[in-house]
Amino acid sequence: MKYNFSAGPAILPKEVMEEAGKAAINFNNSGLSILEISHRSKDFIAVMDQAVQLVKDLLSLSSDYEVIFISGGASSQFFMVPMNFLDENGKAAYVDSGVWANKAIKEAKLFGQVDVVASSKDENYSYIPKGFSVDSQNTYLHLTSNNTIYGTQLHHFPETEVPLIADMSSDIFSRAFDVNKFDLIYAGAQKNMGPAGTTLVIVKKSALGKVRRSIPSMLKYETHIDGGSMYNTPPVFPIYVSMLTMQWLKNNGGIEAIQKINEEKAALLYNEIDRNPLFVGTARKEDRSNMNVCFLLKDSSQEPAFNEMCKSAGCVGLAGHRSVGGFRASIYNAMPKDAIQVLVDIMREFERKNG
Ligand SMILES: *Cc1c(COP(=O)(O)O)cnc(C)c1O
């Protein structure tokens, strides 16, 4: 038995993996693998329709929003967003909350003026910048809702006059929020939605078509909206597995139910980090992420011994990102509470042996 705490690609529900495995051999009893059928076949069109409908259902999207599944990862959204929204002499506001936010800022500068309205770089991104103001001249405010590397999460989206655009790669479908504040939301699938290979984009259609530049077809949101995410061959299997994962979430009570479980799971682990004298959390308490829990051993020379205990209990993927060090337990939707209890028990045992 392995407990997969990896940050991404990350854990998926066991039932989803079993179903996906079957479909890779014989999809819908067609005698064909989902890997070899046409994306224009009736069976795959049904998968795509269902995937889009599940996003709409899970997030209660109004008809103002379009849902597409494209390729290129969240990293391509770093440039597609400004390319499609920001004019050359326009201005966009960005919050610098870590590595991913920085990459988004770098790309946006290729297309227009960027106003970095706040940053938490001064304390190695261990908190969420708050209390900044955003000039209403900005076309949008770009946020990273969950900073996968640092284990910080925006628990309240800022109130601004300008529309929000967010990278929700590592906490999409983990909690309820007011979608109507957003012009666009994007998420690479491989953290909390499915396997690597597709990116979910949710976009307010009325916000598109305002920039003056010419945009290559493949990089234009309208192309994929008009083509029903099938302008070109879509990433069939990642979309299928994402659909199954969303179906699993819906069958288990949807966002409301998973949010409650996610809060309990995170509390279980953070309580142990705070109680156990050998460990310390790295993120400011009020900004702690319910998806990525980052912590250190106060005495870093104990790391190999703790790693050994984790490994022999089947806990994998716990190494912290190199820019933070220590440990990071990614506890996405698919991670059962029992697995977190296993980790907590190891931490207690480690304290008994080494405290
Ligand atoms: C992983 C991650 C990315 C990068 O995603 P790719 O799909 O690999 O391009 C971007 N933003 C956040 C918040 C992430 O966690």
Side-chain angles (χ1 to χ4, degrees):
M1 179 76 190
K2 288 276 195 265
Y3 304 102
N4 183 7
F5 289 94
S6 298
I11 186 167
L12 289 169
K14 194 161 168 279
E15 303 94 297
V16 165
M17 243 118 46
E18 281 164 0
E19 187 78 20
K22 276 189 238 157
I25 307 288
N26 181 5
F27 180 51
N28 283 356
N29 280 320
S30 61
L32 295 169
S33 164
I34 188 161
L35 301 172
E36 63 182 343
I37 61 169
S38 166
H39 58 290
R40 311 227 180 254
S41 63
K42 192 165 69 41
D43 281 354
F44 185 71
I45 289 171
V47 168
M48 184 67 93
D49 289 347
Q50 215 177 339
V52 169
Q53 193 56 48
L54 281 161
V55 175
K56 290 182 176 174
D57 290 352
L58 286 168
L59 298 177
S60 309
L61 293 184
S62 77
S63 57
D64 297 345
Y65 289 90
E66 298 285 346
V67 173
I68 51 174
F69 290 93
I70 54 180
S71 308
S75 299
S76 294
Q77 295 310 302
F78 296 161
F79 66 81
M80 269 181 78
V81 163
M83 193 181 239
N84 284 267
F85 283 83
L86 181 58
D87 257 319
E88 214 175 318
N89 43 19
K91 192 167 78 152
Y94 278 71
V95 173
D96 168 26
S97 57
V99 163
W100 300 118
N102 259 286
K103 290 189 172 175
I105 290 166
K106 182 178 167 218
E107 301 302 294
K109 285 179 176 166
L110 299 172
F111 298 96
Q113 217 186 306
V114 174
D115 191 2
V116 179
V117 290
S119 171
S120 49
K121 193 176 181 184
D122 58 343
E123 292 180 32
N124 196 29
Y125 300 113
S126 57
Y127 67 98
I128 296 286
K130 295 178 212 71
F132 51 85
S133 59
V134 179
D135 178 351
S136 61
Q137 297 295 303
N138 283 292
T139 312
Y140 59 82
L141 167 64
H142 181 279
L143 303 163
T144 312
S145 59
N146 185 73
N147 298 285
T148 324
I149 292 173
Y150 308 91
T152 62
Q153 188 172 23
L154 255 161
H155 293 296
H156 307 281
F157 290 104
E159 295 293 336
T160 56
E161 282 177 55
V162 304
L164 304 180
I165 289 186
D167 176 358
M168 295 198 182
S169 293
S170 51
D171 69 351
I172 188 89
F173 303 134
S174 71
R175 55 162 169 177
F177 65 97
D178 181 9
V179 178
N180 298 308
K181 291 180 175 177
F182 294 83
D183 268 1
L184 186 141
I185 291 164
Y186 60 93
Q190 70 274 17
K191 306 315 192 332
N192 207 27
M193 185 177 84
T198 190
T199 309
L200 167 65
V201 177
I202 298 163
V203 57
K204 195 178 259 176
K205 210 174 174 187
S206 60
L208 291 171
K210 293 182 180 167
V211 282
R212 278 179 294 254
R213 74 174 56 82
S214 308
I215 302 174
S217 306
M218 273 296 284
L219 303 182
K220 206 171 170 165
Y221 292 115
E222 286 95 327
T223 305
H224 299 285
I225 294 169
D226 296 345
S229 300
M230 295 205 200
Y231 171 74
N232 71 321
T233 315
V236 168
F237 199 59
I239 293 170
Y240 173 66
V241 182
S242 298
M243 185 278 283
L244 292 178
T245 310
M246 289 188 280
Q247 188 78 68
W248 167 86
L249 177 55
K250 193 179 175 192
N251 292 343
N252 284 282
I255 303 287
E256 203 183 322
I258 205 80
Q259 175 167 358
K260 193 165 163 284
I261 296 169
N262 285 336
E263 285 166 1
E264 287 168 12
K265 280 157 45 184
L268 178 63
L269 188 48
Y270 283 121
N271 285 343
E272 177 59 18
I273 290 167
D274 293 341
R275 185 210 62 79
N276 193 315
L278 302 191
F279 294 92
V280 62
T282 61
R284 197 179 279 183
K285 279 190 187 177
E286 65 191 26
D287 300 323
R288 283 172 162 176
S289 167
N290 287 340
M291 297 279 100
N292 311 97
V293 178
C294 296
F295 57 101
L296 306 170
L297 269 163
K298 287 178 187 160
D299 175 0
S300 62
S301 73
Q302 292 178 326
E303 277 187 19
F306 183 67
N307 274 326
E308 200 42 56
M309 264 181 88
C310 291
K311 200 174 148 204
S312 46
C315 294
V316 299
L318 280 165
H321 189 272
R322 62 191 173 278
S323 56
V324 181
F327 307 95
R328 169 175 52 176
S330 296
I331 53 173
Y332 299 116
N333 286 353
M335 175 65 76
K337 199 173 174 184
D338 297 354
I340 296 163
Q341 189 61 54
V342 170
L343 179 58
V344 166
D345 291 345
I346 297 169
M347 292 165 78
R348 291 192 178 146
E349 175 73 3
F350 193 75
E351 180 196 5
R352 270 192 296 277
K353 288 189 174 151
N354 302 280

